[in-house]
Amino acid sequence: MIKLFASDLDGTLFNILHETDGAILRRLRRTLDAGRHVALATGRCVRRSADMGFGDLPVESIGANGAHIVGRDGEVLRHVAVDPAALEELLAAFPQVCFICVGRDRSYVRGTFEQRTASYVGATGPIGALLRWRFRRGGLGEEELLDQTDAEVLAQDICKVNFRVSDPGLRRELETFVAEHADALVNASFDGVLFELTDARVNKGEAVAWLACELGISEDEVAVYGDGGNDLAMLERFSHSYATSNASDDAKRAAGNVIGSCALHAVPRHMLVTVRREGPLT
């Protein structure tokens, strides 16, 4: 019996507009009312699930690719900081890069407003279009402090470092740096130009397993859903794993099970169908 459902957001639990809607929320509420747990498992740092469109639904949140976990009541259950020495080296080695450093309560941007804007306005594809649309609506909605010095960044417990690099030469330099610090850093990104660095021990699969253990749930009582590169460790780890039909080929191979498209609410539908088939918890 599945007791914990953990799902990625963009391209998975969210609709095609990368948002929640009434149909999604109704199915999640019925799943929760049946005594199950639902966890958001995303690369974003989710400090309050309501900010992501989930209102008062009592969901757990696994954010920052597993580095930041928040309980149903909003309490931070786990926050895994990036190794300070590796972070200091990164900041010093690439002074020209606009690093968005995710802390426990807010993000610290080593760059100006213009650099921060360019880091996502220049993004390509559907995600780029989404980010530009959100910027026109008034920003990304995340609490951020701009123009931070290296010292100000290093004074925080940074769990994730985001940055977008389109220059091929600079990207190769950064990839080399990450490879040389593989004992401390890992890059789990959903696209080709975005870096999402966390502690090397962190990934969504490890984080979902940690949360399940905290809840007294075994791994064979967990179902996971994903669509992209930062979901692979999660999809590979659990026997009940599902990729959406719009997922990458790698995600589909890792999951082994492919359901419908996020545009058709495949994930919340699958959760509710599973609950109805299995019946109430005893």
Side-chain angles (χ1 to χ4, degrees):
M1 177 176 287
I2 302 302
K3 298 180 180 178
L4 168 63
F5 296 92
S7 179
D8 175 53
L9 297 182
D10 297 289
T12 311
L13 182 59
F14 279 164
N15 61 27
I16 198 169
L17 297 176
H18 299 266
E19 295 179 334
T20 59
D21 56 37
I24 293 171
L25 297 178
R26 284 193 298 274
R27 290 182 174 94
L28 291 183
R29 187 172 294 281
R30 289 169 185 164
T31 299
L32 291 162
D33 287 346
R36 271 57 169 197
H37 287 264
V38 174
L40 317 177
T42 176
R44 308 188 195 196
C45 188
V46 182
R47 299 184 178 94
R48 292 169 296 274
S49 60
D51 293 344
M52 308 300 294
F54 292 92
D56 62 349
L57 290 180
V59 297
E60 283 88 13
S61 302
I62 299 170
N65 285 335
H68 190 81
I69 302 180
V70 178
R72 287 180 166 186
D73 59 358
E75 178 187 3
V76 176
L77 302 179
R78 191 177 77 152
H79 182 88
V80 182
V82 172
D83 177 64
L87 178 58
E88 184 174 11
E89 283 189 56
L90 177 70
L91 296 173
F94 300 97
Q96 73 275 45
V97 175
C98 178
F99 292 113
I100 298 94
C101 301
V102 179
R104 185 180 292 270
D105 300 312
R106 61 182 61 195
S107 292
Y108 303 83
V109 181
R110 210 273 301 269
T112 65
F113 175 79
E114 289 75 17
Q115 289 171 317
R116 175 67 178 96
T117 302
S119 72
Y120 58 85
V121 171
T124 59
I127 295 296
L130 169 69
L131 293 176
R132 288 190 290 275
W133 174 68
R134 285 183 175 167
F135 176 67
R136 288 194 296 270
R137 290 178 66 187
L140 295 177
E142 186 178 11
E143 298 171 347
E144 296 183 346
L145 291 179
L146 295 164
D147 299 307
Q148 296 294 288
T149 65
D150 289 3
E152 288 171 325
V153 170
L154 293 168
Q156 310 302 323
D157 286 329
I158 301 300
C159 70
K160 186 166 180 269
V161 183
N162 298 325
F163 51 100
R164 188 177 297 278
V165 176
S166 55
D167 179 79
L170 179 57
R171 180 170 182 83
R172 284 192 294 272
E173 290 181 38
L174 283 156
E175 289 172 341
T176 298
F177 180 94
V178 174
E180 292 174 346
H181 294 76
D183 60 329
L185 300 172
V186 66
N187 178 30
S189 175
F190 67 82
D191 72 16
V193 296
L194 179 69
F195 284 77
E196 299 183 60
L197 304 183
T198 60
D199 183 273
R201 299 166 295 174
V202 168
N203 61 64
K204 288 187 184 182
E206 177 272 336
V208 172
W210 185 93
L211 177 61
C213 183
E214 283 289 296
L215 297 173
I217 295 172
S218 64
E219 292 193 22
D220 62 357
E221 295 173 320
V222 176
V224 297
Y225 305 85
D227 77 313
N230 59 0
D231 299 316
L232 298 183
M234 177 175 71
L235 295 172
E236 291 169 348
R237 177 158 186 158
F238 295 92
S239 56
H240 303 289
S241 62
Y242 305 89
T244 50
S245 61
N246 52 275
S248 69
D249 290 340
D250 286 344
K252 290 176 182 177
R253 282 191 292 269
N257 300 290
V258 179
I259 56 177
S261 170
C262 68
L264 300 176
H265 301 141
V267 170
R269 284 177 183 272
H270 189 270
M271 290 179 182
L272 190 54
V273 167
T274 300
V275 168
R276 287 173 171 169
R277 182 181 67 246
E278 295 182 345
L281 293 176
T282 55

